[in-house]
Amino acid sequence: MKILSVDDSAIIRKIIRSGVELLDFELLEAADGMEALKILAQSKDVGLILLDWNMPGMDGMDFLLKVKNSESFPDIPIMMVTTESEKENIIKAIQAGAINYLVKPFTIEELMKKVLECVEEGA
């Protein structure tokens, strides 16, 4: 299974890559929502999206809503991985369709645990 990390921070994508590869998943990377939509259109086997909220261009919430309202890939589970830690934002993301939420900064262990939860929930 492939996991798509959508985050404008190359450092965060590198940290996510470390955890995802330890779990033996393949990681695809996008620096923003538009790039991520292109990857989704080309890769039919993305099983989970790890999504940052604050990105230039299309932010994480816009991307989340676009994916969940699409005809092509509304069933791909999405986990927010973001600095947005306010309760209202977490609720907003879950109501929009995110299945899990991880607040930055996080440890590799926390990331791996949440990814496994999402994979099991999405299976």
Side-chain angles (χ1 to χ4, degrees), residues 6-23:
V6 187
D7 198 304
D8 59 324
S9 168
I11 293 168
I12 293 294
R13 292 194 315 268
K14 185 175 183 177
I15 292 167
I16 288 172
R17 175 174 292 283
S18 298
V20 166
E21 288 179 348
L22 283 171
L23 294 171

Side-chain angles (χ1 to χ4, degrees), residues 3-9 12-13 15-16 48-55 60 78-85 93 98 100-107 110-111 114-115 118:
I3 295 176
L4 173 59
S5 174
V6 187
D7 198 304
D8 59 324
S9 168
I12 293 294
R13 292 194 315 268
I15 292 167
I16 288 172
L48 175 63
I49 299 170
L50 306 179
L51 179 62
D52 186 21
W53 192 309
N54 300 303
M55 297 180 290
I78 297 176
M79 178 172 75
M80 300 301 293
V81 181
T82 179
T83 58
E84 292 292 330
S85 60
N100 215 322
Y101 207 98
L102 180 61
V103 177
K104 298 173 187 175
F106 54 83
T107 65
E110 290 170 319
L111 172 72
K114 293 274 191 173
V115 165
C118 290

